[in-house]
Each structure stands twice: as structure tokens, then as C-alpha cells.
Amino acid sequence: MPNIRESRELPYSAEQMFDLVADVGKYPQFLPWVVATRVRSNSETEMVADMMVGFKALREKFTSRVCKERPTRIVVEYVDGPLSHLENSWHFEPLGATRCRIDFCVEFTFRNSVFEAMAGKYLDRAFRKMVGAFEKRANDLYGAPV
């Protein structure tokens, strides 16, 4: 099962980064390949959301359950879509009042093993680009680091 891990120290609080990642409805504004989102339900601890991702003429819809533990952790569990398994997690470790370390991990398995082998070459770069998009969004929302 392919997995990707990324860790970064950022000049934003864990609360700020938690809020940014938990705001699934805004993903189409800044995440590459996210065409649309629909939040079906949302509470302090859990959200169910659909996400449409696309590249050129390809479009796929995923449904996920988002478990939230403010302000330290978000775990996304796959409910339905074109994969056989998808799970990702975000951990936000405070490093003082205005800094944190984010740890992002995603594991996935495609239903089609041939497609998984082909896509695996590009997904690592794609997921790292997405983590970078979260960092840029934080710069836009909270101000560039001093």
C-alpha cells in the first residue's frame, strides 16, 4: 500500500493550521485538482464530506469521514469512491504560541493495481504539492512569516 509522509515546521499556531485543514468547504479555492466539495454534516468532532477531484477531462468523487481532535489531530477516513482504501492524517504539534510542526500522512490503494502502479509515480509529487498549497494558504490567511 503506497504511503506518503511530509513534516514541516510552520510559523503559525497549531489552532490556525487545524482550522485551515478542517475548512474542507474552502478547498476548491486553493488546492490543486480539487474541483468542488460538499459538506454533508459537520460537528466539533466529525464531518462527512464529498470532494470532486479532477485533472483535464478526468473527474472522480470521494466521500470521507473527517474525525477532528482540536487542535492536535485530523484523521480522514475513506467512505466511498474510486479507491479501495484511503486514509490520511494531520498532526499539529505546538512549538510555542506562534509556531507548530505539521505531520501529514496518506495511505491509499487503488481498486485497479495497474492504475496504482502507473499513478504511484506521480502521486508522491502531487501530494507534496497539496501540502505546499496548505502552506501557501496559511501565508495568504495569516500573513507571510516575518
Side-chain angles (χ1 to χ4, degrees):
M1 173 180 323
N3 70 64
I4 297 163
R5 295 182 183 278
E6 181 79 13
S7 181
R8 296 185 185 184
E9 283 188 27
L10 299 174
Y12 308 105
S13 71
E15 282 277 348
Q16 287 174 312
M17 293 308 298
F18 179 96
D19 289 342
L20 190 156
V21 173
D23 194 1
V24 172
K26 297 274 175 44
Y27 283 10
Q29 295 176 15
F30 69 94
L31 278 180
W33 311 294
V34 176
V35 177
T37 56
R38 180 177 68 124
V39 177
R40 294 183 183 192
S41 64
N42 194 11
S43 73
E44 283 295 311
T45 59
E46 184 179 277
M47 173 192 312
V48 175
D50 298 327
M51 183 182 312
M52 178 74 69
V53 295
F55 181 73
K56 299 189 181 188
L58 299 173
R59 298 276 189 268
E60 292 288 348
K61 183 180 94 168
F62 299 81
T63 301
S64 299
R65 176 173 295 104
V66 181
C67 301
K68 303 180 281 185
E69 297 174 26
R70 177 174 294 281
T72 59
R73 186 172 162 187
I74 294 175
V75 176
V76 180
E77 301 168 346
Y78 186 68
V79 174
D80 189 37
L83 303 172
S84 61
H85 172 78
L86 172 67
E87 182 175 319
N88 70 62
S89 63
W90 293 86
H91 293 267
F92 309 96
E93 178 188 349
L95 301 174
T98 60
R99 294 190 63 75
C100 73
R101 177 188 324 277
I102 61 165
D103 291 304
F104 173 72
C105 178
V106 63
E107 296 178 346
F108 54 92
T109 307
F110 287 92
R111 293 188 197 280
N112 182 322
S113 60
V114 173
F115 185 67
E116 181 171 308
M118 289 182 348
K121 297 175 185 176
Y122 304 102
L123 286 175
D124 181 69
R125 191 175 338 146
F127 280 108
R128 291 188 198 290
K129 185 172 182 173
M130 291 181 81
V131 171
F134 279 100
E135 188 172 353
K136 182 183 180 319
R137 177 71 170 177
N139 290 342
D140 294 344
L141 290 177
Y142 308 128
V146 183

